[in-house]
Structure formats: structure tokens, C-alpha cells
Amino acid sequence: MGREYTGRVIGYDGENLTVNVGQIDIDWNKLLRYNKGDAPKVELVFDDQQRRSLLQNKHIHAIIGDIAAWQGEDPEEVKMWFKWAFAKAFELDDIKTSKMSMEQASAFISLLITFAVKHRIPLMQYTPLEVLGPDNIAAFEYQSLMNKTCVICGKYPSDLHHLDTVGQGVDRRKTDHLKHRAVQLCREHHNQAHNLGIETFLKRYHLVGIKIDQQIARVHKLKYEVKE
């Protein structure tokens, strides 16, 4: 099975291309055995800003690495399974991550994040809030609310934290919670939000806040009104 790595071109003399792949573990002897002693051939895919970006590729490998460590599986086997699931979900032929569009890569990252949050997998190599774009951050926040894991540190259980003022003297058990913004926070980060103030807290962690919908309300047993 082919293995994909990411590197940076540092030289080209018209015939020979020099690529710096950084500190990654390449089992060169195994590659030679696979190719009967010959140096393996590679497929070059240059980042043209239309296919998935190098940063997206880094994110994909980091999340897959964390999932594989949690499962005790080989990262390449885990990657192959997720590529199959992604292709099936979007009715695609077998797809290579190196040939994904940036939109496909974003959707693939969301799939990985959804799986990780749903199964409460600790993301050690990957800190979503520091590197995700706004759309992916929103998806991560939503999954954190649905699975009751702290959006910042991943602790479970944690609590839904309202970002919008419900109203002084209003009983939250009786109010309609739909459309109010919320994030999922453990006790430590809940206290930090109060100490810093909502807007400062959101900016510090690149959070956007999620408007409570019926699914979130049901998971957290919040009152809501169904409007016809």
C-alpha cells in the first residue's frame, strides 16, 4: 500500500528534485524490500492551492495519528478506512488525500473530528482551535456540544455554557433556548470564561459559539418551543 508524506522542495537543477521531508520515520529498508531492492518510484503532487493545502494535509495526518494511537492501529490502515468511508459517504470513487480539493479536504477533516469527538479520543498531536478555519471550528464546537466534551481540553463530562444573556430573573428551565449561543466547557474553562468575560474568552480560543438547535436542546434536556 502506498504511503503519502509531505515535504518542501528545497532544490531543483532541471533534472534532480531535492525535497526536505522533515523529521518523519520512513522505513527505507522496507520500501526497498517492497521494490525488490530498487529505489521506489514516487508520484509528485505539487501544492497548487486548488488541491488540499499542505496545512490541511498536516492536520489530516495529525488527527489520524491520534485516532490510530487511541485504537492501537497502524495509521495507514486507519487512513485507508476513513478514505473508504469518506468516498462512500460522498459517492466518490476511491480517493487519494493528495488529490482532494480544498473543499473535500475540509470535509474530510470534519469527518475525522466528528469521529474523534464522538468517541472522546484525546487529540494530542492536534489542537483544533489553534489551526482550524471558522467553518471547521464551528463543526468542532457543534460536535463538542452534542457529545458533552469540553471544546477546549476534551474533558468529559462537561457543561453547556450559555454565551447570550437569557435575562435577569428568568428561569432557564422554562425559557425557550433555541437560537441562544452556547459552547461546551469543563468546570475549569467555565470559570475561566466568567473571569475573562465572554468576548475575551471567545477571542482567546478562536471560538464562535453555536446557536442551540433542537438536537442540542434534546441532548442537554433544554426547553424549546417548536414553531410551525
Side-chain angles (χ1 to χ4, degrees):
M1 176 171 39
R3 299 199 173 236
E4 296 179 6
Y5 300 98
T6 299
R8 181 178 295 276
V9 175
I10 59 175
Y12 178 60
D13 62 9
E15 182 177 356
N16 299 299
L17 189 72
T18 304
V19 179
N20 184 343
V21 295
Q23 297 294 319
I24 60 176
D25 183 19
I26 297 178
D27 192 334
W28 185 251
N29 290 328
K30 181 183 288 187
L31 290 174
L32 290 176
R33 289 198 302 273
Y34 285 160
N35 290 274
K36 298 180 180 179
D38 294 329
K41 293 182 179 179
V42 298
E43 180 183 75
L44 294 174
V45 180
F46 288 94
D47 184 11
D48 59 5
Q49 299 304 315
Q50 297 301 316
R51 293 193 178 102
R52 63 100 182 96
S53 70
L54 296 176
L55 184 59
Q56 284 176 316
N57 188 61
K58 182 179 179 180
H59 295 172
I60 288 169
H61 282 276
I63 306 173
I64 286 176
D66 283 332
I67 293 173
W70 174 75
Q71 291 181 325
E73 301 285 349
D74 176 53
E76 288 300 319
E77 294 292 334
V78 173
K79 182 179 178 181
M80 182 175 67
W81 185 89
F82 275 106
K83 284 165 59 178
W84 173 85
F86 182 81
K88 185 175 182 180
F90 289 89
E91 298 182 348
L92 302 169
D93 294 331
D94 186 35
I95 188 169
K96 292 183 178 180
T97 55
S98 61
K99 293 186 177 180
M100 284 181 176
S101 67
M102 295 183 75
E103 289 184 355
Q104 287 175 331
S106 179
F108 190 63
I109 289 171
S110 292
L111 171 67
L112 296 172
I113 289 174
T114 298
F115 182 89
V117 174
K118 182 176 182 179
H119 294 278
R120 298 169 190 148
I121 298 172
L123 297 176
M124 307 301 292
Q125 301 181 49
Y126 183 78
T127 308
L129 295 178
E130 293 181 2
V131 293
L132 287 177
D135 291 343
N136 286 131
I137 283 182
F140 180 66
E141 289 187 59
Y142 189 88
Q143 290 301 322
S144 296
L145 282 161
M146 290 296 292
N147 292 281
K148 299 184 179 181
T149 57
C150 178
V151 71
I152 297 171
C153 67
K155 286 183 180 177
Y156 173 86
S158 58
D159 300 314
L160 180 146
H161 178 68
H162 285 85
L163 298 176
D164 300 320
T165 303
V166 175
Q168 188 174 6
V170 175
D171 188 343
R172 286 187 175 181
R173 294 172 297 180
K174 297 180 181 179
T175 191
D176 182 1
H177 289 264
L178 293 188
K179 306 304 180 182
H180 288 288
R181 293 182 306 152
V183 291
Q184 191 75 16
L185 300 174
C186 65
R187 179 53 51 186
E188 176 185 349
H189 288 109
H190 187 103
N191 291 336
Q192 188 182 56
H194 282 297
N195 293 334
L196 291 176
I198 291 300
E199 294 308 318
T200 300
F201 182 79
L202 293 179
K203 288 180 181 178
R204 171 171 291 191
Y205 292 106
H206 314 292
L207 295 166
V208 296
I210 298 298
K211 288 185 178 180
I212 298 171
D213 61 14
Q214 292 183 22
Q215 288 183 304
I216 293 173
R218 285 195 291 267
V219 166
H220 290 271
K221 299 180 180 179
L222 300 173
K223 186 180 183 303
Y224 65 90
E225 296 178 5
V226 179
K227 297 180 175 62
E228 298 182 355

